[in-house]
Amino acid sequence: MVKLIHTLADHGDDVNCCAFSFSLLATCSLDKTIRLYSLRDFTELPHSPLKFHTYAVHCCCFSPSGHILASCSTDGTTVLWNTENGQMLAVMEQPSGSPVRVCQFSPDSTCLASGAADGTVVLWNAQSYKLYRCGSVKDGSLAACAFSPNGSFFVTGSSCGDLTVWDDKMRCLHSEKAHDLGITCCDFSSQPVSDGEQGLQFFRLASCGQDCQVKIWIVSFTHILARSTEHQLKQFTEDWSEEDVSTWLCAQDLKDLVGIFKMNNIDGKELLNLTKESLADDLKIESLGLRSKVLRKIEELRTKVKSLSSGIPDEFICPITRELMKDPVIASDGYSYEKEAMENWISKKKRTSPMTNLVLPSAVLTPNRTLKMAINRWLETHQK
């Protein structure tokens, strides 16, 4: 039996999303607002509607406890609200400034994932409201997100139909074309499935798309982590084929060199051994600037090869680029960043902190020589 018991008509435009907690119903709309209703009688709470967003609100979700509500918007922000009084707890700005399409809390409420129209996905610390990790998908905007019941990994779905699995360190564990058209939603079953023979636990995941299909997946964190490790080792070793090298060249915006490298049968081993002399004499690359760029990219690749198994300490990673810092600077928020990345951030983000989202007291960047020395010592140790 299905029976309509109430209709809510308070929004002034399309309603994009709704979410339940144990005592509340939240809704969000193109009218830029979020509304909260009591489940007892569906009356709107005194502090509703919640107003901050300057453009359409695409998604809202409760923390597992129900005490915090997250909302995300075309304005490029994800906002956390206290559901008891409507107080705004934090404004978390997507690093790219792109419209945020989806947000989701982890099962233990420690993290919040936000996915944007440009394919970036951010993992926020839901207690400190600081950016924890950042990544991106290859194509399309992010439209769906779901955490596994144990919180060890989460899944995002894109408008291109790609389903991507991430671990809690924002490492991409698996990605594949799940739907011919865009993914509209995905969710995990709360009950795991056990493998009777090996005692492994699997999680069931459902994805639905614009191809009129709903697909059910079995996901094992142990298996995808093992496959991811094997894939990374192949990515950053001498096992690359000539085709792998061609793919790498295109990713580095060096696709004009693909023909030259193929003609000279450059595979992974050959690539890592290239020098400025071999680029000029053997490959006949005449442009000095182009040779310099190739060598710079190869050196970055060598660094990744030698650091893959050792793991780069978090304090050596720039919070913006999520890469090893070469020229670290201290900003007025007290955090260290890669100089070029922070300069770009300040010029585009109106001097807000990437970590706190508060206005920076000053735009002055101070070289962090102590950190640079520590990074150099670490590199010397791990490049032997």
Side-chain angles (χ1 to χ4, degrees):
M1 182 189 77
V2 177
K3 179 182 178 181
L4 177 66
I5 62 171
H6 205 91
T7 299
L8 302 170
D10 299 307
H11 283 292
D13 211 329
D14 294 355
V15 182
N16 288 325
C17 182
C18 61
F20 280 109
S21 73
F22 60 91
S23 62
L24 299 174
L25 169 68
T27 61
C28 62
S29 166
L30 291 180
D31 67 9
K32 310 173 189 177
T33 68
I34 304 100
R35 293 182 180 270
L36 291 172
Y37 301 91
S38 169
L39 291 185
R40 288 194 303 271
D41 52 9
F42 297 103
T43 56
E44 190 166 8
L45 300 190
H47 49 270
S48 176
L50 307 179
K51 296 181 179 180
F52 170 81
H53 293 294
T54 55
Y55 291 100
V57 186
H58 293 287
C59 181
C60 60
C61 64
F62 286 99
S63 65
S65 69
H67 298 311
I68 299 176
L69 178 74
S71 61
C72 59
S73 165
T74 299
D75 61 17
T77 65
T78 301
V79 178
L80 297 184
W81 308 87
N82 183 323
T83 58
E84 295 180 357
N85 56 23
Q87 178 185 356
M88 189 166 57
L89 301 174
V91 178
M92 301 180 294
E93 185 177 353
Q94 201 78 1
S96 62
S98 179
V100 186
R101 302 295 189 190
V102 64
C103 57
Q104 186 68 47
F105 279 99
S106 64
D108 60 2
S109 298
T110 59
C111 294
L112 176 76
S114 64
D118 64 352
T120 58
V121 55
V122 176
L123 207 56
W124 303 92
N125 184 313
Q127 273 73 52
S128 65
Y129 314 135
K130 294 178 181 178
L131 187 151
Y132 173 59
R133 291 282 194 274
C134 185
S136 64
V137 296
K138 292 181 180 179
D139 299 299
S141 62
L142 291 179
C145 179
F147 276 88
S148 65
N150 64 359
S152 60
F153 59 92
F154 67 101
V155 172
T156 57
S158 79
S159 60
C160 288
D162 293 335
L163 201 63
T164 305
V165 184
W166 311 83
D167 70 2
D168 56 3
K169 296 288 191 295
M170 280 299 298
R171 294 175 296 190
C172 177
L173 303 179
H174 181 80
S175 184
E176 72 172 80
K177 190 78 168 178
H179 293 267
D180 290 337
L181 301 176
I183 293 175
T184 55
C185 186
C186 62
D187 198 16
F188 280 97
S189 167
S190 60
Q191 299 299 319
V193 179
S194 297
D195 181 342
E197 295 180 358
Q198 300 182 24
L200 297 176
Q201 280 195 334
F202 299 86
F203 295 99
R204 286 172 290 191
L205 171 73
S207 65
C208 48
Q210 294 174 327
D211 55 3
C212 305
Q213 294 183 343
V214 177
K215 296 186 177 182
I216 313 299
W217 310 79
I218 291 292
V219 184
S220 166
F221 177 70
T222 304
H223 287 173
I224 58 177
L225 182 59
R227 287 202 302 269
S228 173
T229 303
E230 291 171 2
H231 179 61
Q232 286 181 320
L233 289 172
K234 184 177 188 300
Q235 277 189 312
F236 301 115
T237 62
E238 299 176 347
D239 295 336
W240 271 2
S241 66
E242 293 178 22
E243 198 60 41
D244 290 331
V245 172
S246 297
T247 301
W248 176 79
L249 287 169
C250 292
Q252 309 306 314
D253 199 24
L254 294 167
K255 61 182 179 181
D256 291 340
L257 298 179
V258 169
I260 296 175
F261 276 60
K262 280 189 173 181
M263 189 182 303
N264 288 273
N265 305 117
I266 304 297
D267 58 13
K269 186 175 182 179
E270 294 277 355
L271 178 69
L272 294 174
N273 290 322
L274 288 176
T275 64
K276 60 181 180 180
E277 291 79 14
S278 59
L279 289 174
D281 300 335
D282 300 333
L283 302 189
K284 309 296 182 185
I285 300 176
E286 298 179 358
S287 169
L288 177 60
L290 192 55
R291 293 200 302 270
S292 298
K293 181 178 180 179
V294 173
L295 285 174
R296 186 172 66 253
K297 295 296 183 181
I298 291 175
E299 186 55 40
E300 291 175 2
L301 185 60
R302 289 179 184 135
T303 301
K304 289 179 180 179
V305 171
K306 293 172 182 177
S307 65
L308 179 63
S309 59
S310 58
I312 301 174
D314 277 353
E315 60 268 27
F316 295 170
I317 301 294
C318 172
I320 299 174
T321 65
R322 300 309 307 166
E323 295 178 354
L324 182 68
M325 288 185 279
K326 298 176 183 177
D327 190 8
V329 294
I330 303 173
S332 56
D333 62 357
Y335 292 93
S336 292
Y337 306 91
E338 178 63 35
K339 182 180 179 182
E340 182 179 356
M342 192 56 186
E343 288 175 342
N344 291 336
W345 178 278
I346 291 174
S347 67
K348 295 178 181 177
K349 300 296 174 182
K350 300 180 181 179
R351 288 175 53 176
T352 59
S353 165
M355 297 298 286
T356 67
N357 289 311
L358 300 176
V359 176
L360 292 169
S362 167
V364 174
L365 301 176
T366 306
N368 192 338
R369 295 186 177 87
T370 302
L371 180 58
K372 186 173 184 177
M373 290 173 61
I375 292 173
N376 288 338
R377 285 197 298 269
W378 183 86
L379 284 172
E380 290 172 2
T381 301
H382 290 78
Q383 289 181 351
K384 291 179 179 179

